[in-house]
Amino acid sequence: MSVNEIINLLKNPSQNDIEIITKAFEFAKEAHEDQKRLSGDPFIIHPLETAKTIAKLQLDAKTIAAALLHDVCEDKNVEEKIIRKKFGEEIAFLVSGVTKLGEIKYKDAELKTENLRKMFLAMAKDIRVIFIRLADRMHNMQTLQFIPKEKQRRIAEETLEIYAPIANRLGIGEFKGQLQDLAFPYIYPEEYKKVKEMLKGRYEQKEHELIKTKYELEKEIKKNGINDFSVDSRIKHLYSLFQKFQRPEINMDIENIYDLIALRIIVKNVEDCYKVLGIIHNMWKPLPGKIKDYIATSKPNGYQSLHTTIFAIDGAITEIQIRTKKMHEEAEYGIAAHWAYTESNKPRTGGVVNPRMSWVNQLVDWQKSIAQGQTQDFLETLKLDFFKDRVFCFTPKGDVIDLPEGATAIDFAYAIHSDIGNSASAAKVNNKFVSLDTILKNGDIVEIQTQKNKKPSAEWLERAKTSLAKKQIRSARREHEPFKRAV
Ligand code: MN
């Protein structure tokens, strides 16, 4: 149990990073010294594990330090001003954000909503607070068996209904899968047992089947001149398997699930993705209707890969996923991949430098406009609309604009400001000129160019997706057409 467990996870920590993380570790260790977890472990294990999860996401040193300190105010009554004095404004701000999120307990629908509201308010200030809360929840779920029985279900439910969807929403597939699997046995104990029973011996059998396929595949890829690649297998998460079982075409039969274990090929670039797909289809017959090109059209949360299902050696039906290293990182770490900083404090990918989430400010406004007393509705709206099918885009400065799936550059322009929307003349997505009605993808960096005396065209009403944009377009067009209105 030492701070090196964290440091060793970082790719290129600076001396400064190491110092601040070590200092936070020492401080937390001392603050929690007399405290134990219900498991009997020394308490420091918990912030340490939380910080390790944050470090795996390659987030910045201050977020890691805040993860180490996340329980000192809540559990040990250390005052915020002491954190500020010792660690500076930013870390104190993150720690207090995490503490505030933990203040409300989730017992019934009414309080759920309240908790969510708080969560969002904290998000509005800094998304890193959410990352720490997710990491904290991950470790608490891993140790849920030590918690009194009557509390277990509530915590697991909250995880399944609130935390896992947030992880999904942020595109952190790995977090979503782990949180769901951890909650699964507490929420659906019977079904959990059943799925486990059905899987008995299956993984081993499937792994065995795949050894030969994997060997042949590697040989053939090399023969075609591609050397920079890796082939691994990924095991489907249990809860996601359980969800799949409920689809009518699966008919509760494990024989109908082809991606129990999938082969995952990671290559250098997009060109190699398609080359490898060709190589595979040359070796084995693909199942019709199972070839999916999520590179040309990514999933709403930004996921990119090629998927195919083939009749492999001995007719074993096998799913294969092909993607680049960058796509792989983004699929595992989601928005955190955009958030990761190098030691020089420059972003690792894209042009994202501003960790503020302006999109949540919009949400807070929207939230305020919801009448009092409609809390149940509010929760439903959040569950249905907010978590699903959203895309994050960035301004050239790195502000995040949150839009519904299918939104175009027109929506983006109006989301920035009505004047920008009304005078938009052209859009650049990832540095390329595109038409204003281009549908945006997760992670797109969008630049809107404006022209004086421009006005929105009627056609935009069809192309815009958000009600905000539509409203503004209508009102701008009315201003330009006084005569029509008089009729
Ligand atoms: Mn905690």
Side-chain angles (χ1 to χ4, degrees):
M1 185 183 35
S2 92
V3 72
N4 286 333
E5 288 177 43
I6 300 170
I7 311 282
N8 292 339
L9 291 169
L10 300 174
K11 281 182 187 155
N12 274 314
S14 70
Q15 202 47 47
N16 230 339
D17 291 347
I18 295 173
E19 269 163 33
I20 199 144
I21 292 167
T22 307
K23 194 169 141 194
F25 177 74
E26 295 301 335
F27 186 90
K29 206 173 148 195
E30 206 183 300
H32 293 297
E33 197 165 41
D34 55 349
Q35 213 183 345
K36 276 196 169 14
R37 294 277 286 175
L38 285 174
S39 61
D41 283 333
F43 191 90
I44 188 66
I45 295 265
H46 169 66
L48 184 69
E49 287 301 322
T50 306
K52 273 162 75 178
T53 304
I54 294 294
K56 280 180 201 153
L57 291 173
Q58 299 298 319
L59 288 168
D60 62 296
K62 283 178 179 161
T63 312
I64 297 171
L68 282 165
L69 298 167
H70 84 269
D71 274 327
V72 298
C73 299
E74 203 172 337
D75 291 350
K76 299 309 294 178
N77 288 320
V78 174
E79 278 180 73
E80 196 191 324
K81 65 174 185 223
I82 295 175
I83 303 284
R84 193 178 302 126
K85 218 165 134 193
K86 275 194 126 64
F87 296 96
E89 198 64 57
E90 199 176 335
I91 292 177
F93 167 77
L94 292 173
V95 173
S96 87
V98 178
T99 307
K100 276 181 202 143
L101 274 188
E103 270 164 13
I104 285 185
K105 298 286 175 252
Y106 168 106
K107 271 183 195 129
D108 54 42
E110 210 71 14
L111 283 174
K112 257 187 232 179
T113 314
E114 210 49 50
N115 198 6
L116 275 169
R117 281 186 172 161
K118 275 219 160 185
M119 187 180 279
F120 286 120
L121 289 170
M123 268 173 100
K125 290 180 194 147
D126 204 306
I127 189 73
R128 293 175 296 173
V129 169
I130 299 297
F131 287 129
I132 298 172
R133 261 297 166 210
L134 286 172
D136 167 61
R137 176 54 57 116
M138 189 84 82
H139 186 247
N140 285 336
M141 286 305 293
Q142 282 159 354
T143 50
L144 196 61
Q145 72 266 37
F146 302 109
I147 300 292
K149 272 245 148 33
E150 66 276 13
K151 279 190 184 168
Q152 286 175 345
R153 199 188 156 85
R154 172 182 66 77
I155 295 170
E157 238 168 40
E158 192 180 55
T159 302
L160 209 54
E161 286 186 21
I162 316 276
Y163 286 82
I166 286 177
N168 184 43
R169 172 83 161 66
L170 299 174
I172 320 173
E174 197 37 46
F175 272 30
K176 183 195 85 172
Q178 281 188 36
L179 287 169
Q180 285 180 334
D181 279 5
L182 288 163
F184 186 19
Y186 295 96
I187 309 282
Y188 303 105
E190 288 307 313
E191 291 83 348
Y192 177 77
K193 264 189 233 151
K194 222 163 124 189
V195 172
K196 279 286 233 192
E197 191 59 38
M198 279 199 275
L199 282 173
K200 239 183 204 156
R202 281 281 165 168
Y203 284 129
E204 293 79 358
Q205 184 201 334
K206 193 83 198 166
E207 286 273 24
H208 189 75
E209 274 176 18
L210 287 178
I211 295 172
K212 238 164 108 189
T213 306
K214 192 179 161 208
Y215 174 78
E216 294 292 329
L217 193 60
E218 284 173 335
K219 211 169 70 182
E220 199 63 22
I221 294 174
K222 278 187 202 144
K223 224 173 90 189
N224 279 273
I226 298 171
N227 291 305
D228 189 359
F229 72 97
S230 65
V231 184
D232 289 302
S233 46
R234 81 102 182 89
I235 294 173
K236 196 173 180 67
H237 281 287
L238 223 51
Y239 187 74
S240 118
L241 197 62
F242 164 63
Q243 286 176 309
K244 202 159 186 178
F245 268 130
Q246 293 167 356
R247 291 197 207 158
E249 75 270 21
I250 302 297
N251 199 20
M252 287 305 280
D253 186 352
I254 197 155
E255 294 296 336
N256 292 331
I257 293 183
Y258 306 139
D259 64 340
L260 197 58
I261 298 183
L263 284 180
R264 187 176 279 160
I265 307 173
I266 297 176
V267 296
K268 204 175 57 193
N269 53 37
V270 173
E271 198 192 328
D272 285 354
C273 290
Y274 290 101
K275 258 194 209 160
V276 166
L277 184 72
I279 294 167
I280 293 166
H281 287 170
N282 213 11
M283 297 169 76
W284 298 295
K285 238 170 113 161
L287 244 73
K290 283 285 189 181
I291 305 164
K292 304 216 174 90
D293 186 348
Y294 295 121
I295 292 180
T297 314
S298 56
K299 284 193 184 177
N301 69 359
Y303 177 82
Q304 286 192 299
S305 260
L306 299 175
H307 289 190
T308 185
T309 304
I310 50 152
F311 296 98
I313 293 165
D314 301 328
I317 298 175
T318 303
E319 180 175 309
I320 302 185
Q321 307 173 347
I322 310 157
R323 55 174 81 152
T324 66
K325 254 181 217 148
K326 184 165 175 274
M327 290 169 192
H328 181 62
E329 273 187 13
E330 289 189 355
E332 302 278 291
Y333 303 139
I335 201 155
H338 291 285
W339 240 264
Y341 289 76
T342 61
E343 78 281 13
S344 58
N345 210 31
K346 283 196 190 108
R348 199 156 50 92
T349 51
V352 187
V353 274
N354 188 348
R356 305 247 175 251
M357 301 289 277
S358 58
W359 57 276
V360 193
N361 290 322
Q362 294 164 20
L363 182 77
V364 174
D365 281 347
W366 173 69
Q367 195 182 311
K368 272 189 216 145
S369 73
I370 289 178
Q372 293 279 325
Q374 291 184 326
T375 45
Q376 190 57 42
D377 284 356
F378 176 71
L379 179 70
E380 287 307 314
T381 323
L382 283 178
K383 270 202 214 159
L384 295 175
D385 291 327
F386 185 65
F387 292 131
K388 271 197 282 173
D389 309 329
R390 307 289 300 184
V391 285
F392 288 126
C393 297
F394 302 102
T395 67
K397 280 190 195 152
D399 281 328
V400 179
I401 305 291
D402 176 54
L403 297 163
E405 188 194 346
T408 61
I410 299 168
D411 295 295
F412 185 94
Y414 279 101
I416 298 174
H417 196 277
S418 57
D419 290 344
I420 306 258
N422 288 333
S423 57
S425 61
K428 266 181 165 178
V429 171
N430 304 328
N431 260 325
K432 271 193 212 121
F433 275 106
V434 297
S435 67
L436 280 164
D437 61 3
T438 300
I439 292 178
L440 301 173
K441 293 194 313 294
N442 223 18
D444 278 348
I445 298 168
V446 186
E447 192 183 334
I448 301 293
Q449 301 196 336
T450 56
Q451 216 176 1
K452 261 194 182 160
N453 304 321
K454 262 284 255 155
K455 63 162 194 160
S457 74
E459 208 189 316
W460 283 14
L461 278 174
E462 313 286 327
R463 303 285 184 247
K465 174 97 180 175
T466 56
S467 44
L468 174 87
K470 287 185 186 191
K471 201 173 109 192
Q472 308 267 20
I473 295 166
R474 270 190 215 106
S475 93
R477 287 185 57 77
R478 263 198 301 269
E479 278 168 32
H480 284 275
E481 291 166 288
F483 300 116
K484 260 192 185 168
R485 200 166 48 153
V487 173

